[in-house]
Amino acid sequence: MVHAYNLLLYPRIFRLMRLSQFHLATVKEVPADAEVASHKLMLRAGMIRKLASGLYTWSPLGLRVLRKVENVVREEMNRAGAIEILMPSVQPRELWEETGRWEKFGNQLLKIKDRKEQDFCYGPTHEEVITDFARNELKSYKQLPLNFFQIQTKFRDEIRPRFGVMRAREFLMKDAYSFHLTHESLAETYKVMYDAYSRIFTRLGLTFRAVDADTGAIGGSASNEFQVLADSGEDAIAFSDGSSYAANIELAEARAPTGERPAPSADLIRVPTPTQRSIDEVSAALGVSPAQCIKTIIVRGREGLVALCVRGDHELNEVKAAHLPELPDESELASEEEIIAAIGTRPGFIGPVGLPESIPVIVDRNAAMLADFVCGGNQDGTHYTGANWQRDARIDRVVDLRKVVEGDASPDGHGTLHLARGIEVGHIFQLGQKYAEAMGANVLDDQGKLATMYMGCYGIGVSRIVAAAIEQRHDDAGMIWTDAMAPWRVAVCVINPKNSPEVSEAAESLYRELSQAGIETVLDDRGLRAGSMFADMELIGIPHRVVVSERGLAAGTLEYRQRTETEARAITRDDLLALLA
Ligand code: ATP
Ligand code: MG
Ligand code: MG
Ligand code: MG
């Protein structure tokens, strides 16, 4: 009642969203370390500003987009029956000792001390905290199943933060954790989450694939990653066009039928002298498609520089190799001694190229970074440890891509296999009893007996989605947002507002009308030259642009252009409203 009464007393007031009073700060130049389109565009549009490596401030513009994503995620989580909570980001060591992850999590865990010299970490994830919460709160099977979620800042001390918010150190994650009496109940909620994730990424207008993933060191029985398809993706996935088969490359390799591929040859192939180390060059040398080069490795062996695809298990015993000619600046590459020192491996692991034991310098798929990484055979959790030879340790995985070949008939007997690069935007796990068991999270079952709960966990990289969406939808002029993620759906651009009160007035009244119709609109009243104004609106990817000018007013029309169209056209106010409704 109070609410309705207030509405009567205070009619809706629109605060005009004027760009002249908003902090829009686009820039022309971006730092050279911005390699991928989304990173460059986010910097140019002023959506993010770097504070330090892997740490970014979200500007008012960036935050609008981030909140759009957050809201879609929140709505769908609520709709799927999950309940929102908020846990601290700083977590005590003791909890992490209970699961053994204080040590096992590795260097991604940022450890901090308080004034009493007590150990804490900045949460990279929240299994420990939520399991502690659950063991204190949940006593009876009657309270189950429950699914808690939060949208919160995580910190992971990534070895190589890059691509802006795509692989940041501090980032925004939606993480959910479900609790169950039985495995069947867990499987049910897992399916509900799988469907909710599919709805979220569909609503956001992303082209994605849900792929089977390895449960790895986190344990448990089932796992799916949600991968946004993009050439710049750090991951690779394999999927069939004739069935539901879809797996990330690691799992596809692990599941690939054995014995069908020719034995690896130690013979090295000569390649012509290249002008630069592009991924195409390496893939051509190896005789694999660029998509397969994701875990390509470059080794400096005794016989020179060689590109490899290496099998991803402990033995690292299957290698596809090709010589790469030396370039003059390759003095920058690591020597065998440096590699050994950097990754703490033994000399035998950096064997001459072509020998089965060859352990490699891992090369990133990006040409510019071709010789950036080295990788050793020491396993750390789910990953192989390695090092950027210049600086610190590097974690990576290696996969024998000869086992998963584009165009193959596939693994389940239907359709043709495709390989694609992906950006991991979501990841769901059936954890089973691993954490509940380690931390003693029990409830009484219907017989009055203590039962260890089953758990699921479900993550979404909220901030990474913003970058992933840009990777998928942009052109030379800038970003191309879907309505769901756009900072505003419509930009009303005013030509010479200072010179003509009528134009100003017409633009403001159009703004009001659109806003009243529930269409999120921004008024570009900065008084910039038309060209600069349009360039900004294209750069920040506003889906619909309307221009109010003296000329248009005289003709009784507006100029309208959709971001994806090349030409602007004249349109009446009524037609515009109908079009945007
Ligand atoms: P990646 O393989 O990219 O390192 P992950 O498998 O370590 O990701 P999860 O532990 O599955 O990540 O976390 C859930 C989600 O959080 C991921 O699917 C991803 O979208 C997001 N995420 C993970 N690390 C980062 C990061 N450094 N920056 C931004 N988002 C991240
Ligand atoms: Mg990671
Ligand atoms: Mg991953
Ligand atoms: Mg993951």
Side-chain angles (χ1 to χ4, degrees), residues 206-286:
L206 298 165
T207 306
F208 69 96
R209 281 274 179 340
V211 300
D212 293 346
D214 204 347
T215 47
I218 208 171
S221 43
S223 174
N224 286 94
E225 287 170 355
F226 290 78
Q227 297 271 357
V228 161
L229 303 187
D231 286 342
S232 54
E234 290 182 287
D235 289 359
I237 62 172
F239 57 93
S240 162
D241 58 12
S243 74
S244 61
Y245 177 89
N248 71 14
I249 204 81
E250 290 82 359
L251 195 64
E253 184 223 32
R255 283 186 185 163
T258 50
E260 287 178 14
R261 297 270 140 209
S265 158
D267 291 342
L268 305 179
I269 312 151
R270 294 256 161 217
V271 292
T273 305
T275 49
Q276 61 166 1
R277 301 307 166 94
S278 69
I279 196 72
D280 293 332
E281 175 202 335
V282 174
S283 65
L286 288 165

Coordinates of all heavy atoms in Angstrom, one line a residue, residues 206-286:
L206 N 25.0 -14.8 -27.0 CA 26.3 -15.4 -27.2 C 26.2 -16.7 -28.0 O 25.3 -17.5 -27.8 CB 27.1 -15.7 -25.9 CG 27.4 -14.5 -25.0 CD1 27.8 -14.9 -23.6 CD2 28.5 -13.7 -25.7
T207 N 27.1 -17.0 -28.9 CA 27.2 -18.2 -29.6 C 28.1 -19.1 -28.8 O 29.3 -18.8 -28.6 CB 27.8 -18.1 -31.0 OG1 27.0 -17.1 -31.7 CG2 27.7 -19.4 -31.8
F208 N 27.6 -20.2 -28.2 CA 28.4 -21.0 -27.3 C 28.1 -22.4 -27.5 O 27.2 -22.9 -28.1 CB 28.0 -20.6 -25.8 CG 26.6 -21.0 -25.4 CD1 26.4 -22.2 -24.7 CD2 25.5 -20.2 -25.8 CE1 25.1 -22.5 -24.4 CE2 24.2 -20.6 -25.5 CZ 24.0 -21.8 -24.8
R209 N 29.0 -23.2 -26.9 CA 28.8 -24.7 -26.8 C 29.0 -25.1 -25.4 O 29.9 -24.7 -24.7 CB 29.8 -25.4 -27.7 CG 29.5 -25.4 -29.2 CD 28.6 -26.5 -29.5 NE 28.2 -26.7 -30.9 CZ 28.2 -25.8 -31.9 NH1 28.6 -24.6 -31.6 NH2 27.7 -26.1 -33.0
A210 N 28.1 -26.0 -24.9 CA 28.4 -26.7 -23.6 C 29.1 -27.9 -23.9 O 28.7 -28.8 -24.7 CB 27.0 -27.0 -23.0
V211 N 30.3 -28.1 -23.3 CA 31.2 -29.2 -23.7 C 31.5 -30.0 -22.4 O 31.5 -29.5 -21.3 CB 32.5 -28.8 -24.3 CG1 32.2 -28.0 -25.6 CG2 33.3 -28.0 -23.4
D212 N 31.6 -31.3 -22.6 CA 32.0 -32.2 -21.5 C 33.5 -31.8 -21.1 O 34.3 -31.5 -21.9 CB 32.0 -33.6 -21.9 CG 30.6 -34.1 -22.1 OD1 29.7 -33.4 -21.8 OD2 30.5 -35.2 -22.7
A213 N 33.7 -31.8 -19.8 CA 35.0 -31.4 -19.3 C 35.5 -32.4 -18.3 O 34.7 -33.1 -17.7 CB 35.0 -30.0 -18.7
D214 N 36.8 -32.5 -18.1 CA 37.4 -33.4 -17.2 C 37.1 -32.9 -15.8 O 37.1 -31.7 -15.5 CB 38.9 -33.4 -17.4 CG 39.5 -34.7 -16.9 OD1 38.8 -35.4 -16.2 OD2 40.6 -35.0 -17.2
T215 N 36.8 -33.8 -14.8 CA 36.6 -33.3 -13.5 C 37.9 -33.0 -12.8 O 37.9 -32.4 -11.8 CB 35.8 -34.3 -12.7 OG1 36.3 -35.6 -12.9 CG2 34.3 -34.3 -13.1
G216 N 39.0 -33.6 -13.3 CA 40.3 -33.2 -12.8 C 40.5 -33.3 -11.3 O 39.9 -34.1 -10.7
A217 N 41.3 -32.4 -10.8 CA 41.7 -32.6 -9.4 C 40.6 -32.1 -8.4 O 40.6 -32.5 -7.3 CB 42.9 -31.7 -9.1
I218 N 39.6 -31.4 -9.0 CA 38.5 -30.9 -8.1 C 37.7 -32.1 -7.7 O 36.9 -32.1 -6.7 CB 37.7 -29.8 -8.8 CG1 37.1 -28.9 -7.7 CG2 36.7 -30.3 -9.7 CD1 36.5 -27.6 -8.2
G219 N 37.8 -33.2 -8.4 CA 37.1 -34.4 -8.1 C 35.6 -34.4 -8.6 O 35.2 -33.5 -9.3
G220 N 34.9 -35.5 -8.3 CA 33.5 -35.5 -8.7 C 33.3 -36.3 -10.0 O 34.2 -36.8 -10.5
S221 N 32.0 -36.3 -10.4 CA 31.7 -37.3 -11.4 C 31.3 -36.6 -12.8 O 31.5 -37.3 -13.8 CB 30.5 -38.1 -10.9 OG 29.6 -37.3 -10.3
A222 N 30.8 -35.4 -12.8 CA 30.4 -34.9 -14.1 C 30.8 -33.4 -14.1 O 30.9 -32.7 -13.1 CB 28.9 -35.0 -14.3
S223 N 31.1 -32.9 -15.3 CA 31.5 -31.5 -15.4 C 31.2 -31.0 -16.8 O 31.5 -31.8 -17.8 CB 33.0 -31.4 -15.1 OG 33.4 -30.1 -15.3
N224 N 30.7 -29.8 -17.0 CA 30.6 -29.2 -18.3 C 31.1 -27.8 -18.3 O 30.9 -27.1 -17.3 CB 29.1 -29.1 -18.7 CG 28.6 -30.5 -19.1 OD1 28.0 -31.2 -18.3 ND2 28.8 -30.8 -20.3
E225 N 31.8 -27.5 -19.3 CA 32.2 -26.1 -19.5 C 31.3 -25.4 -20.6 O 30.9 -26.1 -21.5 CB 33.7 -26.0 -20.0 CG 34.7 -26.3 -19.0 CD 36.1 -26.5 -19.6 OE1 36.2 -26.4 -20.9 OE2 37.0 -26.7 -18.8
F226 N 31.1 -24.2 -20.4 CA 30.3 -23.4 -21.4 C 31.3 -22.5 -22.1 O 32.0 -21.7 -21.5 CB 29.2 -22.6 -20.7 CG 28.1 -23.5 -20.3 CD1 28.2 -24.3 -19.1 CD2 26.9 -23.7 -21.0 CE1 27.2 -25.1 -18.7 CE2 25.9 -24.5 -20.6 CZ 26.1 -25.3 -19.4
Q227 N 31.5 -22.8 -23.4 CA 32.6 -22.1 -24.1 C 31.9 -21.2 -25.2 O 31.2 -21.7 -26.0 CB 33.4 -23.2 -24.8 CG 34.2 -24.1 -23.9 CD 35.5 -23.6 -23.5 OE1 36.0 -22.5 -24.0 NE2 36.2 -24.3 -22.6
V228 N 32.3 -19.9 -25.1 CA 31.9 -19.0 -26.2 C 32.9 -19.2 -27.3 O 34.1 -19.2 -27.1 CB 32.0 -17.6 -25.6 CG1 32.0 -16.5 -26.7 CG2 30.7 -17.3 -24.7
L229 N 32.3 -19.4 -28.5 CA 33.2 -19.6 -29.7 C 33.8 -18.3 -30.1 O 33.2 -17.3 -30.4 CB 32.4 -20.2 -30.8 CG 31.6 -21.5 -30.5 CD1 31.0 -22.1 -31.8 CD2 32.5 -22.5 -29.9
A230 N 35.2 -18.3 -30.2 CA 35.9 -17.1 -30.6 C 37.3 -17.6 -31.0 O 37.9 -18.3 -30.2 CB 35.9 -16.1 -29.5
D231 N 37.8 -17.1 -32.1 CA 39.2 -17.5 -32.5 C 40.2 -17.1 -31.5 O 41.3 -17.7 -31.5 CB 39.5 -16.8 -33.9 CG 38.7 -17.5 -35.0 OD1 38.2 -18.6 -34.8 OD2 38.6 -16.8 -36.1
S232 N 40.0 -16.1 -30.7 CA 41.0 -15.6 -29.8 C 40.9 -16.4 -28.5 O 41.7 -16.2 -27.6 CB 40.8 -14.2 -29.4 OG 39.4 -14.0 -29.0
G233 N 40.0 -17.4 -28.4 CA 39.9 -18.2 -27.2 C 41.1 -18.9 -26.8 O 41.9 -19.4 -27.7
E234 N 41.4 -19.1 -25.5 CA 42.6 -19.8 -25.1 C 42.3 -21.3 -25.0 O 43.3 -22.1 -24.9 CB 43.0 -19.3 -23.7 CG 43.5 -17.9 -23.6 CD 43.9 -17.5 -22.2 OE1 43.0 -17.3 -21.4 OE2 45.1 -17.5 -22.0
D235 N 41.1 -21.7 -25.1 CA 40.7 -23.1 -25.0 C 40.4 -23.6 -26.4 O 40.2 -22.9 -27.3 CB 39.5 -23.3 -24.1 CG 39.9 -23.1 -22.6 OD1 41.1 -22.8 -22.3 OD2 39.0 -23.2 -21.8
A236 N 40.4 -25.0 -26.5 CA 39.9 -25.6 -27.7 C 38.9 -26.6 -27.4 O 38.9 -27.2 -26.4 CB 41.1 -26.2 -28.5
I237 N 37.9 -26.7 -28.3 CA 36.8 -27.7 -28.1 C 36.7 -28.5 -29.3 O 37.0 -28.1 -30.4 CB 35.5 -27.0 -27.7 CG1 35.0 -26.1 -28.8 CG2 35.7 -26.2 -26.4 CD1 33.6 -25.6 -28.5
A238 N 36.1 -29.7 -29.2 CA 35.8 -30.6 -30.3 C 34.3 -30.9 -30.2 O 33.8 -31.2 -29.1 CB 36.7 -31.8 -30.2
F239 N 33.6 -30.8 -31.3 CA 32.2 -31.2 -31.3 C 31.8 -31.8 -32.6 O 32.4 -31.5 -33.7 CB 31.3 -30.0 -30.9 CG 31.5 -28.8 -31.9 CD1 30.7 -28.6 -32.9 CD2 32.5 -27.8 -31.6 CE1 30.8 -27.5 -33.8 CE2 32.6 -26.7 -32.4 CZ 31.8 -26.6 -33.5
S240 N 30.7 -32.5 -32.6 CA 30.3 -33.2 -33.8 C 29.1 -32.4 -34.4 O 28.3 -31.9 -33.6 CB 29.8 -34.6 -33.4 OG 29.0 -35.1 -34.4
D241 N 29.0 -32.4 -35.7 CA 27.8 -31.8 -36.3 C 26.7 -32.7 -36.5 O 25.6 -32.4 -36.9 CB 28.2 -31.1 -37.6 CG 28.7 -32.1 -38.6 OD1 28.7 -33.3 -38.4 OD2 29.3 -31.7 -39.7
G242 N 26.9 -34.0 -36.1 CA 25.8 -35.0 -36.3 C 25.3 -35.6 -35.0 O 24.5 -36.5 -35.0
S243 N 25.8 -35.1 -33.9 CA 25.3 -35.6 -32.6 C 25.5 -34.6 -31.5 O 26.0 -33.5 -31.8 CB 26.1 -36.9 -32.3 OG 27.4 -36.6 -31.9
S244 N 25.3 -35.0 -30.3 CA 25.5 -34.1 -29.2 C 26.9 -34.2 -28.7 O 27.2 -33.5 -27.6 CB 24.5 -34.4 -28.1 OG 24.7 -35.7 -27.6
Y245 N 27.8 -34.9 -29.3 CA 29.1 -35.0 -28.8 C 29.8 -33.6 -28.8 O 29.9 -32.9 -29.8 CB 30.0 -35.9 -29.7 CG 31.4 -36.0 -29.3 CD1 31.8 -36.9 -28.3 CD2 32.4 -35.1 -29.8 CE1 33.2 -37.0 -27.9 CE2 33.7 -35.1 -29.4 CZ 34.1 -36.1 -28.4 OH 35.4 -36.1 -28.0
A246 N 30.3 -33.2 -27.7 CA 31.0 -32.0 -27.5 C 31.9 -32.1 -26.3 O 31.4 -32.4 -25.2 CB 30.1 -30.8 -27.4
A247 N 33.2 -31.9 -26.4 CA 34.1 -32.0 -25.3 C 35.2 -31.0 -25.4 O 35.5 -30.5 -26.5 CB 34.7 -33.4 -25.3
N248 N 35.7 -30.6 -24.3 CA 36.9 -29.7 -24.4 C 38.1 -30.6 -24.9 O 38.0 -31.8 -24.9 CB 37.2 -28.9 -23.2 CG 37.7 -29.7 -22.0 OD1 38.1 -30.9 -22.2 ND2 37.7 -29.2 -20.8
I249 N 39.1 -29.9 -25.4 CA 40.1 -30.7 -26.2 C 40.8 -31.7 -25.3 O 41.2 -32.8 -25.7 CB 41.1 -29.7 -26.9 CG1 41.7 -30.4 -28.1 CG2 42.1 -29.2 -25.9 CD1 40.9 -30.4 -29.3
E250 N 41.0 -31.4 -24.0 CA 41.7 -32.3 -23.1 C 40.9 -33.6 -23.0 O 41.4 -34.7 -23.0 CB 41.9 -31.6 -21.7 CG 42.9 -30.5 -21.7 CD 42.3 -29.2 -22.1 OE1 41.1 -29.1 -22.5 OE2 43.0 -28.2 -22.1
L251 N 39.6 -33.4 -22.8 CA 38.8 -34.6 -22.6 C 38.6 -35.4 -23.9 O 38.6 -36.6 -23.9 CB 37.4 -34.2 -22.1 CG 36.6 -35.4 -21.5 CD1 37.2 -36.0 -20.3 CD2 35.2 -34.9 -21.2
A252 N 38.5 -34.6 -25.0 CA 38.4 -35.3 -26.3 C 39.6 -36.1 -26.6 O 39.5 -37.2 -27.1 CB 38.2 -34.2 -27.4
E253 N 40.7 -35.6 -26.2 CA 42.0 -36.4 -26.4 C 42.0 -37.6 -25.5 O 42.3 -38.7 -25.9 CB 43.2 -35.5 -26.1 CG 44.5 -36.2 -26.3 CD 45.5 -36.0 -25.3 OE1 45.2 -35.9 -24.1 OE2 46.7 -36.0 -25.6
A254 N 41.6 -37.4 -24.2 CA 41.6 -38.5 -23.3 C 40.7 -39.6 -23.7 O 40.9 -40.8 -23.5 CB 41.3 -38.0 -21.9
R255 N 39.6 -39.2 -24.3 CA 38.6 -40.2 -24.7 C 38.8 -40.8 -26.1 O 38.1 -41.7 -26.6 CB 37.2 -39.6 -24.7 CG 36.6 -39.4 -23.3 CD 35.2 -38.9 -23.5 NE 34.6 -38.6 -22.3 CZ 33.5 -37.8 -22.2 NH1 33.0 -37.3 -23.3 NH2 32.9 -37.6 -21.0
A256 N 39.7 -40.2 -26.9 CA 39.9 -40.6 -28.3 C 40.3 -42.0 -28.3 O 41.0 -42.6 -27.5 CB 41.0 -39.7 -28.9
P257 N 39.7 -42.7 -29.3 CA 40.1 -44.1 -29.5 C 41.6 -44.2 -29.8 O 42.2 -43.4 -30.5 CB 39.3 -44.6 -30.7 CG 38.7 -43.4 -31.3 CD 38.8 -42.2 -30.4
T258 N 42.2 -45.2 -29.2 CA 43.7 -45.4 -29.4 C 44.0 -46.3 -30.6 O 43.1 -47.0 -31.1 CB 44.3 -46.0 -28.1 OG1 43.6 -47.2 -27.8 CG2 44.3 -45.0 -27.0
G259 N 45.2 -46.1 -31.1 CA 45.7 -47.1 -32.1 C 45.3 -46.8 -33.5 O 45.7 -47.4 -34.4
E260 N 44.5 -45.7 -33.7 CA 44.1 -45.4 -35.1 C 45.0 -44.5 -35.8 O 45.0 -44.5 -37.0 CB 42.7 -44.8 -35.1 CG 41.6 -45.9 -34.7 CD 40.2 -45.3 -34.7 OE1 40.1 -44.1 -35.1 OE2 39.3 -45.9 -34.1
R261 N 45.7 -43.7 -35.0 CA 46.6 -42.8 -35.7 C 48.0 -43.4 -35.9 O 48.4 -44.2 -35.2 CB 46.8 -41.6 -34.7 CG 45.5 -40.8 -34.5 CD 45.3 -39.7 -35.5 NE 43.9 -39.7 -35.9 CZ 43.5 -39.3 -37.1 NH1 44.4 -38.9 -38.0 NH2 42.3 -39.3 -37.4
P262 N 48.6 -42.9 -37.0 CA 50.0 -43.4 -37.2 C 50.9 -43.1 -36.0 O 50.7 -42.1 -35.3 CB 50.4 -42.7 -38.5 CG 49.5 -41.5 -38.6 CD 48.2 -41.9 -37.9
A263 N 51.9 -44.0 -35.8 CA 52.8 -43.8 -34.7 C 53.6 -42.5 -35.0 O 53.8 -42.1 -36.1 CB 53.8 -44.9 -34.7
P264 N 53.9 -41.8 -33.9 CA 54.6 -40.5 -34.1 C 56.0 -40.7 -34.7 O 56.7 -41.7 -34.5 CB 54.8 -40.0 -32.7 CG 54.6 -41.2 -31.8 CD 53.7 -42.1 -32.5
S265 N 56.3 -39.8 -35.6 CA 57.6 -39.9 -36.3 C 58.6 -39.0 -35.6 O 58.3 -37.8 -35.3 CB 57.4 -39.6 -37.7 OG 58.6 -39.2 -38.3
A266 N 59.8 -39.5 -35.5 CA 60.8 -38.6 -34.9 C 61.5 -37.8 -36.0 O 62.3 -37.0 -35.8 CB 61.8 -39.4 -34.2
D267 N 61.1 -38.1 -37.3 CA 61.7 -37.4 -38.4 C 61.2 -36.0 -38.4 O 60.0 -35.7 -38.3 CB 61.3 -38.0 -39.7 CG 62.0 -39.4 -39.9 OD1 63.0 -39.6 -39.1 OD2 61.6 -40.2 -40.7
L268 N 62.1 -35.1 -38.5 CA 61.7 -33.7 -38.5 C 61.5 -33.1 -39.9 O 62.3 -33.5 -40.8 CB 62.7 -32.9 -37.7 CG 63.0 -33.4 -36.3 CD1 64.0 -32.5 -35.6 CD2 61.7 -33.4 -35.5
I269 N 60.5 -32.3 -40.0 CA 60.2 -31.8 -41.4 C 60.9 -30.4 -41.5 O 60.8 -29.6 -40.6 CB 58.7 -31.6 -41.5 CG1 58.0 -32.8 -41.0 CG2 58.3 -31.2 -42.9 CD1 56.6 -32.5 -40.5
R270 N 61.5 -30.2 -42.6 CA 62.1 -28.9 -42.9 C 61.0 -27.9 -43.4 O 60.2 -28.3 -44.2 CB 63.2 -29.0 -43.9 CG 64.4 -29.8 -43.4 CD 65.5 -28.9 -43.1 NE 66.5 -29.6 -42.2 CZ 67.1 -29.1 -41.2 NH1 66.9 -27.8 -40.9 NH2 67.9 -29.8 -40.4
V271 N 61.1 -26.7 -42.9 CA 60.1 -25.8 -43.5 C 60.9 -24.6 -44.1 O 62.0 -24.3 -43.7 CB 59.2 -25.2 -42.4 CG1 58.2 -26.3 -42.0 CG2 59.9 -24.6 -41.3
P272 N 60.4 -23.9 -45.1 CA 61.1 -22.8 -45.7 C 61.3 -21.6 -44.7 O 60.5 -21.6 -43.7 CB 60.2 -22.4 -46.8 CG 58.9 -22.9 -46.5 CD 59.1 -24.1 -45.7
T273 N 62.2 -20.8 -44.9 CA 62.5 -19.7 -44.0 C 61.3 -18.8 -44.0 O 60.9 -18.3 -45.0 CB 63.7 -18.9 -44.5 OG1 64.8 -19.8 -44.6 CG2 64.0 -17.8 -43.4
P274 N 60.7 -18.6 -42.8 CA 59.6 -17.7 -42.8 C 60.0 -16.3 -42.5 O 61.1 -16.0 -42.2 CB 58.8 -18.2 -41.5 CG 60.0 -18.7 -40.7 CD 61.1 -19.1 -41.5
T275 N 59.0 -15.4 -42.7 CA 59.3 -14.0 -42.4 C 58.9 -13.7 -41.0 O 59.5 -12.8 -40.3 CB 58.5 -13.0 -43.3 OG1 57.1 -13.5 -43.3 CG2 59.0 -13.0 -44.7
Q276 N 58.0 -14.4 -40.5 CA 57.7 -14.2 -39.0 C 57.1 -15.5 -38.5 O 56.7 -16.4 -39.2 CB 56.7 -13.1 -38.9 CG 55.4 -13.3 -39.6 CD 54.3 -12.3 -39.1 OE1 54.6 -11.5 -38.3 NE2 53.1 -12.5 -39.6
R277 N 57.0 -15.5 -37.2 CA 56.5 -16.7 -36.5 C 55.0 -16.6 -36.3 O 54.5 -16.3 -35.2 CB 57.2 -16.9 -35.1 CG 58.6 -17.1 -35.2 CD 58.9 -18.2 -36.2 NE 60.3 -18.2 -36.5 CZ 61.2 -18.9 -35.9 NH1 60.9 -19.6 -34.9 NH2 62.5 -18.9 -36.4
S278 N 54.2 -16.8 -37.3 CA 52.8 -16.8 -37.1 C 52.3 -18.2 -36.7 O 53.0 -19.2 -37.0 CB 52.1 -16.3 -38.4 OG 52.3 -17.3 -39.4
I279 N 51.1 -18.2 -36.2 CA 50.6 -19.5 -35.9 C 50.3 -20.3 -37.1 O 50.4 -21.5 -37.1 CB 49.2 -19.3 -35.0 CG1 48.9 -20.6 -34.3 CG2 48.1 -18.8 -35.9 CD1 49.7 -21.0 -33.2
D280 N 50.1 -19.6 -38.2 CA 49.9 -20.3 -39.5 C 51.1 -21.0 -39.9 O 51.1 -22.2 -40.4 CB 49.4 -19.3 -40.6 CG 48.1 -18.8 -40.3 OD1 47.3 -19.5 -39.6 OD2 47.8 -17.6 -40.7
E281 N 52.2 -20.4 -39.7 CA 53.5 -20.9 -40.1 C 53.8 -22.2 -39.3 O 54.1 -23.3 -39.8 CB 54.6 -19.9 -39.8 CG 56.0 -20.5 -40.0 CD 57.0 -19.6 -39.3 OE1 56.8 -18.5 -39.0 OE2 58.1 -20.2 -39.0
V282 N 53.5 -22.1 -38.0 CA 53.8 -23.2 -37.1 C 52.8 -24.4 -37.5 O 53.2 -25.5 -37.6 CB 53.6 -22.9 -35.7 CG1 53.7 -24.1 -34.8 CG2 54.6 -21.8 -35.3
S283 N 51.6 -24.0 -37.7 CA 50.6 -25.1 -38.1 C 51.0 -25.8 -39.4 O 50.8 -27.0 -39.6 CB 49.2 -24.6 -38.0 OG 49.0 -23.6 -39.0
A284 N 51.4 -24.9 -40.4 CA 51.8 -25.5 -41.6 C 53.0 -26.4 -41.5 O 53.0 -27.5 -42.1 CB 52.1 -24.4 -42.6
A285 N 53.9 -26.0 -40.7 CA 55.1 -26.8 -40.4 C 54.7 -28.2 -39.8 O 55.3 -29.2 -40.2 CB 56.1 -26.1 -39.6
L286 N 53.8 -28.1 -38.9 CA 53.3 -29.3 -38.3 C 52.4 -30.1 -39.1 O 52.1 -31.3 -38.8 CB 52.7 -28.9 -36.9 CG 53.6 -28.4 -35.8 CD1 52.8 -27.8 -34.7 CD2 54.4 -29.6 -35.3

